[in-house]
Coordinates of all heavy atoms in Angstrom, one line a residue:
M17 N -12.5 -2.1 4.1 CA -12.0 -2.9 3.0 C -12.0 -2.2 1.7 O -11.1 -2.3 0.9 CB -12.8 -4.2 2.9 CG -12.2 -5.2 1.8 SD -12.8 -6.8 2.1 CE -12.8 -7.4 0.5
A18 N -12.9 -1.3 1.5 CA -13.0 -0.5 0.3 C -11.8 0.4 0.2 O -11.3 0.7 -0.9 CB -14.3 0.3 0.2
Q19 N -11.3 0.9 1.4 CA -10.2 1.8 1.4 C -8.9 1.0 0.9 O -8.1 1.5 0.2 CB -9.9 2.3 2.8 CG -8.8 3.3 2.9 CD -8.5 3.9 4.2 OE1 -9.2 3.5 5.2 NE2 -7.6 4.8 4.3
T20 N -8.8 -0.3 1.3 CA -7.6 -1.1 0.9 C -7.7 -1.2 -0.7 O -6.7 -1.1 -1.3 CB -7.6 -2.4 1.6 OG1 -7.6 -2.2 3.0 CG2 -6.5 -3.3 1.1
K21 N -8.9 -1.5 -1.2 CA -9.0 -1.6 -2.7 C -8.7 -0.3 -3.3 O -8.0 -0.3 -4.4 CB -10.4 -2.1 -3.0 CG -10.7 -3.5 -2.7 CD -12.1 -3.9 -3.2 CE -12.4 -5.3 -2.8 NZ -13.8 -5.7 -3.2
D22 N -9.1 0.8 -2.8 CA -8.8 2.1 -3.3 C -7.3 2.4 -3.3 O -6.8 2.9 -4.3 CB -9.5 3.2 -2.5 CG -10.6 3.9 -3.3 OD1 -10.9 3.5 -4.4 OD2 -11.2 4.8 -2.7
E23 N -6.7 2.0 -2.2 CA -5.2 2.2 -2.1 C -4.5 1.3 -3.1 O -3.5 1.8 -3.8 CB -4.7 1.9 -0.7 CG -5.2 2.9 0.3 CD -4.9 2.4 1.8 OE1 -4.4 1.3 1.9 OE2 -5.2 3.2 2.7
N24 N -4.9 0.1 -3.3 CA -4.3 -0.8 -4.3 C -4.5 -0.3 -5.7 O -3.5 -0.3 -6.5 CB -4.9 -2.2 -4.2 CG -4.4 -2.9 -2.9 OD1 -3.4 -2.5 -2.3 ND2 -5.1 -4.0 -2.5
L25 N -5.7 0.2 -6.0 CA -5.9 0.7 -7.4 C -5.1 2.0 -7.6 O -4.6 2.2 -8.7 CB -7.4 0.9 -7.6 CG -8.2 -0.3 -7.8 CD1 -9.7 0.0 -7.7 CD2 -7.9 -1.0 -9.1
G26 N -5.0 2.8 -6.6 CA -4.2 4.0 -6.7 C -2.7 3.7 -6.9 O -2.1 4.3 -7.8
Y27 N -2.2 2.7 -6.2 CA -0.9 2.2 -6.4 C -0.7 1.7 -7.8 O 0.3 2.0 -8.5 CB -0.5 1.1 -5.4 CG 0.8 0.5 -5.6 CD1 2.0 1.2 -5.2 CD2 1.0 -0.7 -6.1 CE1 3.2 0.7 -5.4 CE2 2.2 -1.3 -6.3 CZ 3.4 -0.6 -5.9 OH 4.6 -1.1 -6.1
M28 N -1.6 0.9 -8.3 CA -1.5 0.3 -9.6 C -1.5 1.4 -10.7 O -0.8 1.4 -11.7 CB -2.7 -0.6 -9.9 CG -2.6 -1.9 -9.1 SD -4.1 -2.9 -9.2 CE -4.3 -3.1 -11.0
S29 N -2.3 2.4 -10.5 CA -2.4 3.6 -11.4 C -1.1 4.3 -11.4 O -0.5 4.6 -12.5 CB -3.5 4.5 -11.0 OG -3.6 5.6 -11.9
D30 N -0.5 4.6 -10.2 CA 0.8 5.3 -10.2 C 1.9 4.5 -10.8 O 2.7 5.0 -11.6 CB 1.2 5.5 -8.7 CG 0.3 6.5 -8.0 OD1 -0.5 7.3 -8.7 OD2 0.3 6.6 -6.8
M31 N 1.9 3.2 -10.6 CA 3.0 2.3 -11.2 C 2.8 2.2 -12.7 O 3.8 2.3 -13.4 CB 2.9 0.9 -10.6 CG 3.4 0.9 -9.1 SD 5.0 1.7 -8.8 CE 6.1 0.8 -9.8
A32 N 1.6 2.2 -13.2 CA 1.4 2.1 -14.6 C 1.8 3.4 -15.3 O 2.4 3.4 -16.4 CB -0.1 1.9 -14.9
L33 N 1.6 4.6 -14.6 CA 2.1 5.8 -15.2 C 3.6 5.9 -15.2 O 4.2 6.4 -16.1 CB 1.5 7.0 -14.4 CG 0.1 7.3 -14.6 CD1 -0.4 8.4 -13.6 CD2 -0.2 7.7 -16.0
E34 N 4.3 5.4 -14.1 CA 5.7 5.3 -14.1 C 6.3 4.4 -15.2 O 7.2 4.8 -15.9 CB 6.2 4.8 -12.8 CG 6.1 5.9 -11.7 CD 6.7 5.4 -10.4 OE1 7.8 4.7 -10.4 OE2 6.2 5.7 -9.3
L35 N 5.6 3.3 -15.4 CA 6.0 2.4 -16.5 C 5.8 3.0 -17.9 O 6.6 2.8 -18.8 CB 5.3 1.0 -16.4 CG 5.7 0.2 -15.2 CD1 4.7 -1.0 -15.0 CD2 7.1 -0.4 -15.4
A36 N 4.7 3.8 -18.0 CA 4.5 4.5 -19.3 C 5.6 5.5 -19.6 O 6.0 5.6 -20.7 CB 3.1 5.2 -19.2
Q37 N 6.0 6.2 -18.5 CA 7.1 7.2 -18.7 C 8.4 6.5 -19.1 O 9.1 6.9 -20.0 CB 7.3 8.0 -17.5 CG 8.3 9.1 -17.6 CD 7.8 10.1 -18.7 OE1 6.7 10.6 -18.7 NE2 8.7 10.4 -19.6
M38 N 8.7 5.3 -18.5 CA 9.9 4.6 -18.8 C 9.8 4.1 -20.3 O 10.8 4.1 -21.0 CB 10.1 3.5 -17.8 CG 10.6 4.0 -16.5 SD 11.2 2.7 -15.4 CE 9.9 1.6 -15.2
A39 N 8.7 3.6 -20.7 CA 8.5 3.1 -22.0 C 8.6 4.2 -23.0 O 9.3 4.0 -24.1 CB 7.1 2.4 -22.2
E40 N 8.1 5.3 -22.7 CA 8.2 6.5 -23.6 C 9.6 6.9 -23.8 O 10.1 7.2 -24.8 CB 7.3 7.6 -23.2 CG 7.2 8.7 -24.2 CD 6.1 9.8 -23.8 OE1 5.0 9.4 -23.5 OE2 6.5 10.9 -23.8
D41 N 10.3 7.0 -22.6 CA 11.7 7.4 -22.7 C 12.6 6.4 -23.5 O 13.6 6.8 -24.0 CB 12.3 7.5 -21.2 CG 11.7 8.6 -20.4 OD1 11.1 9.5 -21.0 OD2 11.8 8.6 -19.2
S42 N 12.1 5.1 -23.6 CA 12.9 4.1 -24.3 C 12.4 4.1 -25.8 O 12.9 3.2 -26.5 CB 12.6 2.7 -23.7 OG 13.1 2.7 -22.4
G43 N 11.5 4.9 -26.2 CA 11.0 5.0 -27.5 C 10.0 4.0 -27.9 O 9.7 3.6 -29.0
L44 N 9.3 3.4 -26.8 CA 8.3 2.4 -27.0 C 6.9 3.1 -26.8 O 6.2 2.9 -25.8 CB 8.5 1.3 -26.0 CG 9.9 0.6 -26.1 CD1 10.1 -0.4 -25.0 CD2 10.0 -0.2 -27.5
A45 N 6.5 3.8 -27.8 CA 5.2 4.6 -27.7 C 4.0 3.7 -27.5 O 3.1 4.1 -26.8 CB 5.1 5.5 -29.0
T46 N 3.9 2.6 -28.2 CA 2.8 1.7 -28.1 C 2.6 1.2 -26.7 O 1.6 1.1 -26.1 CB 2.8 0.6 -29.1 OG1 2.9 1.1 -30.4 CG2 1.6 -0.3 -29.1
L47 N 3.8 0.7 -26.2 CA 3.8 0.2 -24.8 C 3.4 1.3 -23.8 O 2.6 1.1 -22.9 CB 5.1 -0.4 -24.5 CG 5.2 -1.1 -23.1 CD1 4.2 -2.3 -23.1 CD2 6.7 -1.6 -22.9
A48 N 3.9 2.5 -24.0 CA 3.6 3.6 -23.2 C 2.1 3.9 -23.2 O 1.4 4.1 -22.1 CB 4.4 4.9 -23.6
Y49 N 1.5 3.8 -24.4 CA 0.0 4.0 -24.5 C -0.7 3.0 -23.7 O -1.7 3.3 -23.0 CB -0.3 4.0 -26.0 CG -1.8 4.0 -26.3 CD1 -2.5 5.2 -26.2 CD2 -2.5 2.8 -26.5 CE1 -3.9 5.2 -26.5 CE2 -3.9 2.9 -26.7 CZ -4.6 4.1 -26.7 OH -5.9 4.1 -26.9
L50 N -0.3 1.7 -23.8 CA -1.0 0.7 -23.1 C -0.9 0.9 -21.6 O -1.9 0.6 -20.9 CB -0.4 -0.7 -23.5 CG -0.7 -1.1 -24.9 CD1 0.0 -2.4 -25.3 CD2 -2.2 -1.3 -25.2
F51 N 0.2 1.3 -21.1 CA 0.4 1.6 -19.7 C -0.5 2.7 -19.3 O -1.1 2.7 -18.2 CB 1.8 1.8 -19.3 CG 2.6 0.5 -19.1 CD1 3.8 0.3 -19.8 CD2 2.2 -0.5 -18.2 CE1 4.5 -0.9 -19.6 CE2 2.9 -1.6 -18.1 CZ 4.1 -1.8 -18.8
R52 N -0.6 3.7 -20.1 CA -1.5 4.9 -19.8 C -3.0 4.4 -19.7 O -3.7 4.9 -18.9 CB -1.3 6.0 -20.8 CG 0.0 6.8 -20.5 CD 0.0 8.1 -21.3 NE 1.2 8.8 -21.0 CZ 2.3 8.6 -21.8 NH1 2.3 7.8 -22.8 NH2 3.4 9.2 -21.5
M53 N -3.3 3.6 -20.6 CA -4.7 3.0 -20.6 C -4.9 2.2 -19.3 O -6.0 2.3 -18.7 CB -5.0 2.2 -21.8 CG -5.1 3.0 -23.1 SD -6.3 4.3 -23.1 CE -5.4 5.7 -22.8
A54 N -3.9 1.5 -18.9 CA -4.1 0.7 -17.7 C -4.2 1.6 -16.5 O -5.0 1.4 -15.5 CB -2.9 -0.2 -17.5
A55 N -3.5 2.7 -16.5 CA -3.5 3.7 -15.4 C -4.9 4.3 -15.3 O -5.5 4.5 -14.3 CB -2.5 4.8 -15.5
L56 N -5.5 4.6 -16.5 CA -6.8 5.2 -16.6 C -7.8 4.2 -16.1 O -8.8 4.6 -15.4 CB -7.1 5.6 -18.1 CG -8.5 6.2 -18.3 CD1 -8.6 7.5 -17.6 CD2 -8.7 6.4 -19.8
E57 N -7.7 3.0 -16.5 CA -8.7 1.9 -16.0 C -8.6 1.8 -14.5 O -9.7 1.7 -13.9 CB -8.3 0.6 -16.7 CG -9.3 -0.5 -16.4 CD -10.6 -0.3 -17.1 OE1 -10.7 0.4 -18.1 OE2 -11.6 -0.9 -16.6
A58 N -7.4 1.8 -13.9 CA -7.3 1.7 -12.5 C -7.9 2.9 -11.8 O -8.6 2.8 -10.8 CB -5.8 1.5 -12.1
S59 N -7.7 4.1 -12.3 CA -8.2 5.3 -11.7 C -9.8 5.3 -11.8 O -10.4 5.8 -10.9 CB -7.6 6.5 -12.2 OG -8.0 6.8 -13.6
T60 N -10.3 4.9 -12.9 CA -11.8 4.9 -13.0 C -12.4 3.8 -12.2 O -13.5 4.0 -11.7 CB -12.2 4.9 -14.5 OG1 -11.7 3.7 -15.1 CG2 -11.8 6.1 -15.3
A61 N -11.7 2.7 -12.1 CA -12.3 1.6 -11.3 C -12.3 2.0 -9.8 O -13.2 1.7 -9.1 CB -11.4 0.3 -11.4
S62 N -11.3 2.8 -9.4 CA -11.3 3.4 -8.1 C -12.5 4.2 -7.7 O -13.1 4.1 -6.7 CB -10.0 4.2 -7.9 OG -9.9 4.8 -6.6
S63 N -12.9 5.1 -8.7 CA -14.0 6.0 -8.4 C -15.3 5.2 -8.4 O -16.3 5.6 -7.8 CB -14.1 7.1 -9.5 OG -14.3 6.6 -10.7
G64 N -15.4 4.0 -9.1 CA -16.6 3.2 -9.1 C -16.8 2.5 -7.8 O -17.9 2.0 -7.6
L65 N -15.8 2.4 -7.0 CA -16.0 1.7 -5.7 C -16.7 2.5 -4.6 O -17.1 1.9 -3.6 CB -14.6 1.2 -5.1 CG -13.9 0.2 -5.9 CD1 -12.5 -0.1 -5.3 CD2 -14.7 -1.1 -6.0
A66 N -16.9 3.7 -4.9 CA -17.5 4.6 -3.8 C -18.9 4.2 -3.4 O -19.2 4.2 -2.2 CB -17.5 6.0 -4.3
E67 N -19.8 3.8 -4.4 CA -21.2 3.5 -4.1 C -21.5 2.1 -4.6 O -22.3 2.0 -5.5 CB -22.1 4.6 -4.7 CG -21.8 6.0 -4.2 CD -22.2 6.2 -2.7 OE1 -23.1 5.5 -2.3 OE2 -21.6 7.0 -2.1
P68 N -21.0 1.0 -4.1 CA -21.2 -0.3 -4.7 C -22.7 -0.8 -4.5 O -23.1 -1.7 -5.2 CB -20.2 -1.2 -3.9 CG -20.0 -0.5 -2.6 CD -20.1 1.0 -2.9
D69 N -23.4 -0.2 -3.5 CA -24.8 -0.7 -3.3 C -25.8 0.0 -4.1 O -27.0 -0.4 -4.1 CB -25.1 -0.5 -1.8 CG -24.3 -1.3 -0.9 OD1 -23.8 -2.4 -1.3 OD2 -24.1 -1.0 0.3
D70 N -25.5 1.0 -4.9 CA -26.4 1.7 -5.8 C -26.8 0.8 -7.0 O -25.9 0.3 -7.6 CB -25.9 3.0 -6.3 CG -26.0 4.1 -5.2 OD1 -26.6 3.9 -4.2 OD2 -25.4 5.2 -5.5
P71 N -28.0 0.5 -7.2 CA -28.4 -0.3 -8.4 C -28.1 0.6 -9.6 O -28.1 1.8 -9.6 CB -29.9 -0.5 -8.2 CG -30.4 0.6 -7.3 CD -29.2 1.0 -6.5
P72 N -27.8 -0.1 -10.8 CA -27.5 0.6 -12.0 C -28.8 1.4 -12.4 O -29.9 0.8 -12.3 CB -27.1 -0.4 -13.0 CG -27.5 -1.7 -12.4 CD -27.6 -1.5 -10.9
R73 N -28.7 2.6 -12.9 CA -29.8 3.3 -13.3 C -29.9 3.2 -14.9 O -29.0 3.4 -15.6 CB -29.6 4.8 -12.9 CG -29.6 4.9 -11.4 CD -29.5 6.4 -11.0 NE -29.4 6.4 -9.6 CZ -29.1 7.5 -8.9 NH1 -28.9 8.6 -9.5 NH2 -29.0 7.4 -7.6
R74 N -31.2 3.0 -15.3 CA -31.4 2.9 -16.7 C -32.3 4.0 -17.2 O -33.3 4.4 -16.5 CB -32.1 1.5 -17.0 CG -31.2 0.4 -16.7 CD -31.7 -0.9 -17.2 NE -30.8 -2.0 -16.9 CZ -31.1 -3.2 -16.5 NH1 -32.4 -3.5 -16.4 NH2 -30.2 -4.1 -16.2
M75 N -32.0 4.6 -18.3 CA -32.8 5.6 -18.9 C -34.0 5.0 -19.6 O -33.9 3.9 -20.2 CB -32.0 6.4 -19.9 CG -30.9 7.2 -19.2 SD -30.1 8.3 -20.3 CE -31.4 9.4 -20.8
T76 N -35.2 5.6 -19.4 CA -36.4 5.1 -20.1 C -36.9 6.2 -21.0 O -36.5 7.3 -20.9 CB -37.5 4.7 -19.1 OG1 -37.8 5.9 -18.4 CG2 -37.0 3.6 -18.2
S77 N -37.7 5.8 -21.9 CA -38.2 6.8 -22.9 C -39.4 7.6 -22.4 O -39.8 8.5 -23.0 CB -38.7 6.0 -24.2 OG -39.7 5.1 -23.9
H78 N -39.8 7.3 -21.2 CA -40.9 8.0 -20.6 C -40.7 8.5 -19.2 O -39.8 8.2 -18.5 CB -42.2 7.3 -20.7 CG -42.1 5.9 -20.1 ND1 -41.6 4.9 -20.8 CD2 -42.5 5.4 -18.9 CE1 -41.6 3.8 -20.0 NE2 -42.2 4.1 -18.9

């Protein structure tokens, strides 16, 4: 199931990049920026799925 989520997030990232390019070609820089941020979010969410069972690690002062 994690593979399906990874594939979906990869597809979303690819589509967001294509939309960003189309927006940039149309002179819509702000919209292109937003699509690039969506692509970045999808790609980083994808890498976060690798180890879902690991507890969050907190830094301590000692």
Side-chain angles (χ1 to χ4, degrees):
M17 186 160 151
Q19 184 179 4
T20 302
K21 286 183 182 179
D22 248 3
E23 290 170 359
N24 289 341
L25 287 169
Y27 175 76
M28 289 170 56
S29 179
D30 292 344
M31 291 308 301
L33 288 174
E34 286 185 35
L35 290 168
Q37 186 61 50
M38 288 193 298
E40 189 171 309
D41 293 345
S42 299
L44 303 170
T46 302
L47 187 59
Y49 173 81
L50 292 173
F51 280 124
R52 284 195 182 88
M53 292 300 103
L56 179 63
E57 185 72 23
S59 68
T60 56
S62 174
S63 65
L65 291 176
E67 302 289 333
D69 294 334
D70 282 350
R73 296 181 184 174
R74 296 189 178 143
M75 293 183 66
T76 60
S77 60
H78 53 280

